């Protein structure tokens, strides 16, 4: 079992995303396990997963970073694209029986957005999933993952994906 490892470098991966990235996928935000991630200040928006298929793409278990966009009609802001970190897998600490995809968006939202469409552009890998000695150790590592995601995305080769056509197209189709 793992302790939190916060001496990990804040910049991960090559200067420009390399295959298989970018991986683009999306789906409606659905209720998750209801473990109160929100109370830990780390809410995760879940999207449906069918074994290894996530919104049409195949993806290995692990922790990733990239950008997310949301179809937030009423609060539509000019650039509705945010940094995100995501967990794909079995949550070994909780011994889930179902594989899940959960995305923490690095932004403070006024309210929940269940039912909205979320689009993801995954740009890199952070680490494998682990079982932890304690919930505190898990949370500490997730907080460090968030820093890694944010810092890694600041590089030019990554930040340009904020303008990605797939992300910017969220919610557009049904509006016409
Ligand atoms: P659940 O178990 O239903 O996934 P969580 O406690 O993980 O519940 O909260 C997730 C929900 O919180 C999301 O579906 C979304 O509606 C809302 N939410 C608010 N802020 C964020 C954020 N920054 N990142 C992800 N989800 C958020
Ligand atoms: N769950 C685990 O059991 N092991 C992990 O290594 C793990 N890493 C995560 C990394 C990130 C960036 C995020 C957003 C979640 C991760 N989770 C992990 C899922 C976590 O257990 C879940 O969001 C809980 O509901 C938090 O209380
Ligand atoms: Mg969740």
């Amino acid at each position: 079992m793992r302790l939190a490892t916060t001496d990990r470098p804040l910049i991960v991966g090559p200067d420009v995303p390399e295959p298989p990235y970018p991986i683009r996928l999306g789906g409606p935000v659905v209720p998750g396990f209801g473990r109160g991630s929100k109370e830990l200040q780390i809410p995760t928006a879940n999207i449906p997963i069918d074994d290894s298929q996530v919104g049409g793409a195949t993806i290995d278990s692990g922790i990733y970073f990239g950008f997310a966009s949301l179809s937030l009609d009423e609060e539509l802001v000019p650039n509705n694209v945010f940094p995100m970190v995501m967990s794909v897998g079995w949550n070994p600490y909780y011994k889930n029986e179902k594989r899940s995809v959960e995305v923490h968006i690095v932004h403070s939202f006024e309210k929940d957005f269940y039912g909205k469409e979320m689009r993801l552009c995954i740009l890199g890998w952070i680490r494998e999933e682990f079982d932890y000695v304690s919930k505190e150790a898990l949370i500490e590592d997730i907080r460090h993952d968030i820093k890694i995601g944010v810092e890694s995305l600041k590089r030019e080769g990554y930040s340009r994906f904020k303008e990605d056509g797939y992300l910017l197209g969220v919610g557009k189709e049904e509006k016409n």
Side-chain angles (χ1 to χ4, degrees):
M1 274 202 285
R2 185 165 154 113
L3 297 162
T5 313
T6 50
D7 56 355
R8 290 178 283 145
L10 290 178
I11 304 279
V12 297
D15 283 344
V16 171
E18 287 171 9
Y21 310 105
I23 298 171
R24 296 177 178 89
L25 55 90
V29 176
V30 296
F33 299 97
R35 286 201 197 99
S37 315
K38 250 178 262 174
E39 285 137 50
L40 306 165
Q41 319 280 290
I42 317 176
T44 59
N46 295 54
I47 56 173
I49 179 169
D50 184 335
D51 289 316
S52 61
Q53 284 270 316
V54 192
T58 306
I59 187 160
D60 294 334
S61 294
I63 313 306
Y64 299 85
F65 68 91
F67 290 107
S69 64
L70 287 166
S71 59
L72 296 175
D73 23 70
E74 67 276 26
E75 308 117 71
L76 199 65
V77 275
N79 195 354
N80 192 24
V81 177
F82 312 95
M84 64 84 180
V85 286
M86 71 188 277
S87 163
V88 179
W90 303 90
N91 293 16
Y93 180 72
Y94 290 101
K95 300 178 179 54
N96 286 350
E97 280 164 18
K98 253 192 97 197
R99 201 164 176 256
S100 66
V101 175
E102 4 177 351
V103 176
H104 174 69
I105 298 181
V106 189
H107 183 77
S108 185
F109 293 93
E110 305 248 305
K111 46 183 182 166
D112 289 350
F113 42 83
Y114 290 108
K116 302 291 181 193
E117 185 192 356
M118 179 167 66
R119 290 191 178 187
L120 307 173
C121 185
I122 306 168
L123 296 174
W125 162 270
I126 299 180
R127 61 174 175 88
E128 302 167 58
E129 296 186 283
F130 297 108
D131 192 357
Y132 283 87
V133 294
S134 64
K135 190 164 161 183
E136 289 67 34
L138 167 66
I139 300 302
E140 212 181 325
D141 251 5
I142 297 178
R143 292 204 190 292
H144 197 70
D145 296 330
I146 295 170
K147 287 188 198 153
I148 292 176
V150 167
E151 292 305 317
S152 295
L153 288 169
K154 284 182 181 165
R155 290 169 292 177
E156 171 62 29
Y158 290 78
S159 64
R160 63 186 193 86
F161 283 92
K162 278 191 274 193
E163 315 296 328
D164 185 75
Y166 173 71
L167 289 177
L168 294 176
V170 72
K172 296 267 159 69
E173 290 77 4
E174 58 258 28
K175 289 241 168 69
N176 296 326

